[in-house]
Amino acid sequence: MEKRIFLSPPHMSGKEQLYIHEAFETNWIAPLGPNVDAFEKDIIAYTGSKGALALSSGTAAIHLALRLLGITKGDRVFCSSLTFIASANPVLYEGADLVFIDSEPRTWNMSPVALEKALLAAEEEGKLPKAVIVVNLYGQSADMDPISKLCQKYDVPLIEDAAESLGAKYKGQSSGTFGNYGIFSFNGNKIITTSGGGMLVSDDLEGLGQARFLATQARDNALHYQHSQMGFNYRMSNILAGVGRAQLEALDERVKTRRAIFEYYKAELSHFDGIDFMEEPEGYYSTRWLSVLTIDPQLYNITPHQIVEKLNTKNIETRPVWKPLHMQPLFEGLPFYKENDDFDFSKHVFERGLCLPSGSSLTKTEQDYVIEALSDLLIKHKN
Ligand SMILES: *Cc1c(COP(=O)(O)O)cnc(C)c1O
């Protein structure tokens, strides 16, 4: 392949320029402006959330959710372990203590069993978490019913990190709308992008108003730039929101394409023994943001890391599964709760998982090329 095949590159619809042009015509480059307001309205309409706040990143959205919940030094926050670092970094910004929760094999997301264990232990210690951050991995929702129920039972607020799952559904309801706060990311590799950006959604409009205030340097209502609280510079620019508006119009199409890409990989590769694809349980609708499979190390003498390197020489970008947070040097020694003491599912998937090129602009020819290159390796390295 002459052209490199990327894991998940941006895919413009062509309509982005219209909204950008509009911003230029009216010289509404910044700050905020009509594209930002419209993009927030569009997200509200799409997800069914009552309110939305456009921000500079998904990380900023998580950070603001933590601020709204009053999380501070010494507080405890539970977080999915099998995720990207950004789910947990904002907890460190506030000096709070992280406890990691393992995933379940069925959804690859937070195990309600492990969550309950952690909550019971925390209750016994007399120190329940101030928030649970649940992640929807690779476009698939976590099992929100039991997770929400547990959070209600223990009266712990829930933050839904839906950075990878905009467009997904769980029992018919939009991903991102299950917790007290939900967050989306429009980073360059996500299913839709503003080049960089994020969104905080909630039904708590008062909370969102407070977040809006905090995200614009916490400026008091005075002409002379008066501040009584510490704030942040976290809002989205009017140009980028224009990109987001056009991207959102294409989202359903993008989801369909990514799902078709996943199905094609599955059809072409699952005849290999020991190759399994991330499942989609009944009642779930995943965006298949990334197509992920696992490789049984008993059957193949090649690791996902080695495959990534080999495919790289063929101009194909693939990736191992996220390194679980409880295995990160940054979080060494922090508590971690599993379903069964003798089985670490996040680690299991990390050692076996491979993410394939999944961008919605991937052509059939490119996908065939990936399938052929991977098939060659699997045949060559079968035990
Ligand atoms: C991308 C991502 C984020 C962070 O989003 P940014 O917009 O890059 O800050 C958070 N959580 C998960 C699970 C992500 O994949």
Side-chain angles (χ1 to χ4, degrees), residues 57-59 62 83-84 86-87 135 161 163-164 185-187 190 197 322:
S57 72
T59 310
I62 299 173
T83 181
F84 176 52
S87 305
V135 176
D161 179 348
E164 301 175 6
S185 167
F186 309 112
N187 189 29
K190 297 301 194 300
W322 298 125

Side-chain angles (χ1 to χ4, degrees), residues 78-286:
F78 288 4
C79 182
S80 302
S81 181
L82 189 54
T83 181
F84 176 52
I85 190 78
S87 305
N89 263 341
V91 177
L92 298 186
Y93 302 167
E94 293 302 325
D97 301 329
L98 279 155
V99 173
F100 296 112
I101 313 291
D102 200 7
S103 287
E104 53 169 3
R106 199 172 65 104
T107 62
W108 290 33
N109 285 307
M110 185 180 279
S111 152
V113 176
L115 174 62
E116 184 162 30
K117 271 193 191 174
L119 286 166
L120 275 167
E123 190 182 40
E124 253 167 49
E125 271 180 70
K127 197 178 170 192
L128 282 167
K130 287 273 184 75
V132 171
I133 301 172
V134 61
V135 176
N136 303 319
L137 204 68
Y138 298 130
Q140 173 147 287
S141 185
D143 194 358
M144 298 311 298
D145 277 350
I147 290 169
S148 303
K149 250 190 218 132
L150 281 168
C151 286
Q152 275 158 24
K153 181 175 165 194
Y154 288 89
D155 200 20
V156 181
L158 184 62
I159 299 171
E160 191 185 358
D161 179 348
E164 301 175 6
S165 65
L166 178 61
K169 287 199 158 62
Y170 172 83
K171 300 184 181 175
Q173 187 178 330
S174 281
S175 194
T177 62
F178 289 86
N180 301 66
Y181 298 102
I183 78 100
F184 299 116
S185 167
F186 309 112
N187 189 29
N189 63 353
K190 297 301 194 300
I191 195 157
I192 60 167
T193 183
T194 59
S195 81
M199 192 79 70
L200 179 66
V201 295
S202 180
D203 286 346
D204 171 12
L205 298 182
E206 210 181 301
L208 279 185
Q210 178 65 12
R212 201 174 289 268
F213 168 75
L214 290 174
T216 38
Q217 308 283 20
R219 205 156 80 201
D220 291 342
N221 194 9
L223 288 175
H224 49 260
Y225 292 94
Q226 175 175 296
H227 306 268
S228 321
Q229 275 187 64
M230 181 181 82
F232 305 93
N233 183 6
Y234 274 173
R235 291 308 308 269
M236 181 182 278
S237 93
N238 195 51
I239 302 282
L240 300 188
V243 177
R245 288 176 74 183
Q247 287 274 292
L248 189 59
E249 288 165 14
L251 176 61
D252 284 341
E253 206 47 50
R254 301 290 184 252
V255 172
K256 273 191 208 138
T257 307
R258 293 214 187 216
R259 287 177 62 87
I261 288 168
F262 176 91
E263 288 307 327
Y264 189 55
Y265 279 130
K266 195 173 166 188
E268 296 296 311
L269 292 165
S270 31
H271 64 88
F272 283 100
D273 288 338
I275 297 298
D276 290 294
F277 283 80
M278 186 176 176
E279 278 178 39
E280 181 183 62
E282 180 86 37
Y284 291 67
Y285 182 76
S286 170

